[in-house]
Amino acid sequence: MQYQTNLPGHVSTDQFNQMLVTPESFAAKPESLTEQLFVERSLTENRFWLRIMKEHALFLGEGFNRKDTQLIQQTDRFHYYFEQQEKKAYQVPNNVGLVRKLNEESIELVHGFRNFKMTLLILIINCKISGFNFPLLVDHIAREAEYFMRTLTKFNQGILDPIQDAIISENVFWLRIMMEHSRFIASLLDQSERNLVNAARKFGDDFEVLLNQARDVESMLYQKQPTYPIIGKMNKDSENAAQEIRAFKQTGLDLIKSCQIRNVINPLLADHVVREADHFLYMIHVLEERLNTKKMSEMR
């Protein structure tokens, strides 16, 4: 049986293909990075993340079994390397070429540390090593290393993601980090601290909701033409949640330092997660400024 193809209103395959709009035509183009912004953002990210990486090495070392001396020595070496690179990040002049070189050195160092973390993760999951480094924690800090490398690589390429894509990807990354922080905190507090444990778990659930919403937006709008109202609201919701978790973490840090709560949280780790919440808020404000500038330029 043959179907009729000459009916009124029939569109041939060739005609239909000509009517299609290719996905590329929906995508916004990357934005260029000025030299001044390149230097400012590169130094900010290096100074923040190199300290974070240095502390990751310390925390990993503390979580190993005492007999794993080679692993402990490796984390000690990474701690030293990141400490030296962090010092360099504060000493380098505001020179594009020297900052680009700093970025390249940081990428190389972090790449090695990321690989070390991933090797550890596989060893832990396969019960080859023991200790107190949770697999999700190791995966968590490996993702942070990948984020740091990805950020510096784009800077050295002289580009920024289109503002909508940047807001989506930053929110998806940071909301997951905040969700996991909340659940790590709940697991490291003594379970007799019922109110704090419940509050930490509630933060974890709230951030999971925001993360899933952000992933829905990612599925719908990533690499598409901007839809500013939805993107702006997502960023604002994240800002409100980040401010709340930041206040909770700071309160926890103060209580830990004054020995008012029962826990097994290293005060440096408590301070570490406060600083990461601060950096999330910093990124939200950077993105808000870019978004407002973009909207203003399109209104002219």
Side-chain angles (χ1 to χ4, degrees):
M1 177 179 179
Q2 291 187 339
Y3 292 97
Q4 293 183 348
T5 58
N6 57 349
L7 296 174
H10 171 75
V11 178
S12 69
T13 301
D14 289 342
Q15 290 173 318
F16 180 76
N17 288 336
Q18 290 174 5
M19 293 165 58
L20 289 176
V21 180
T22 60
E24 289 77 10
S25 65
F26 286 112
K29 295 180 180 179
E31 299 174 20
S32 59
L33 194 62
T34 65
E35 289 189 356
Q36 180 182 351
L37 196 56
F38 166 77
V39 170
E40 291 174 358
R41 288 293 312 281
S42 292
L43 292 180
T44 297
E45 295 298 317
N46 270 289
R47 290 166 182 172
F48 172 77
W49 282 110
L50 289 169
R51 181 179 179 185
I52 293 294
M53 296 295 120
K54 176 182 72 175
E55 291 169 355
H56 285 174
L58 176 66
F59 300 146
L60 284 172
E62 290 179 341
F64 289 132
N65 189 302
R66 287 174 57 190
K67 66 181 176 63
D68 291 321
T69 54
Q70 285 190 333
L71 293 175
I72 293 170
Q73 289 170 359
Q74 282 182 274
T75 56
D76 287 345
R77 284 194 291 272
F78 275 118
H79 185 277
Y80 173 77
Y81 296 148
F82 280 112
E83 188 171 54
Q84 298 308 305
Q85 188 70 358
E86 182 189 7
K87 288 178 182 177
K88 186 179 292 188
Y90 281 96
Q91 296 167 351
V92 66
N94 290 355
N95 174 281
V96 172
L98 294 176
V99 171
R100 179 172 285 107
K101 186 173 185 295
L102 175 77
N103 287 349
E104 291 170 353
E105 292 171 350
S106 293
I107 291 168
E108 183 178 2
L109 178 56
V110 177
H111 185 264
F113 196 32
R114 189 282 307 269
N115 289 347
F116 175 72
K117 291 171 178 177
M118 295 306 297
T119 299
L120 283 180
L121 179 59
I122 299 303
L123 290 172
I124 294 168
I125 289 175
N126 286 284
C127 302
K128 300 297 184 183
I129 57 174
S130 59
F132 300 96
N133 290 313
F134 293 119
L136 182 59
L137 173 63
V138 179
D139 180 66
H140 174 101
I141 63 177
R143 277 183 270 117
E144 291 186 345
E146 289 168 356
Y147 171 92
F148 182 25
M149 287 191 294
R150 189 165 59 245
T151 299
L152 294 187
T153 298
K154 287 179 181 176
F155 287 171
N156 273 10
Q157 292 171 347
I159 60 172
L160 294 170
D161 284 340
I163 182 57
Q164 176 161 285
D165 293 354
I167 289 176
I168 291 171
S169 59
E170 291 287 344
N171 275 274
V172 168
F173 172 79
W174 283 106
L175 289 170
R176 184 177 181 186
I177 294 296
M178 295 297 113
M179 176 188 74
E180 291 171 349
H181 280 178
S182 304
R183 290 172 175 164
F184 293 148
I185 291 168
S187 69
L188 294 172
L189 288 165
D190 189 89
Q191 296 305 291
S192 66
E193 295 286 356
R194 289 172 175 81
N195 287 336
L196 290 174
V197 170
N198 289 338
R201 288 173 177 163
K202 176 67 164 54
F203 273 116
D205 292 343
D206 291 344
F207 274 105
E208 185 171 25
V209 170
L210 289 173
L211 172 61
N212 286 333
Q213 289 180 177
R215 283 173 169 163
D216 288 338
V217 173
E218 180 181 39
S219 176
M220 297 173 191
L221 297 178
Y222 188 71
Q223 294 188 337
K224 310 289 194 308
Q225 284 292 338
T227 307
Y228 294 138
I230 289 174
I231 295 300
K233 182 181 183 302
M234 181 172 69
N235 220 37
K236 191 63 182 175
D237 288 345
S238 294
E239 181 178 17
N240 293 337
Q243 287 172 340
E244 290 179 10
I245 190 70
R246 197 265 177 213
F248 176 74
K249 290 174 176 177
Q250 183 63 56
T251 299
L253 172 60
D254 295 340
L255 292 172
I256 290 167
K257 290 168 71 174
S258 58
C259 197
Q260 294 185 62
I261 58 173
R262 295 167 293 280
N263 68 95
V264 291
I265 302 174
N266 183 331
L268 180 60
L269 176 58
D271 182 67
H272 179 100
V273 296
V274 170
R275 279 181 273 117
E276 289 199 0
D278 282 335
H279 202 70
F280 183 21
L281 286 165
Y282 160 76
M283 284 306 309
I284 287 172
H285 296 151
V286 166
L287 294 168
E288 282 178 348
E289 287 183 7
R290 282 187 59 198
L291 180 60
N292 291 335
T293 300
K294 188 73 172 175
K295 289 192 290 188
M296 289 293 292
S297 67
E298 291 182 2
M299 289 172 59
R300 292 174 188 153

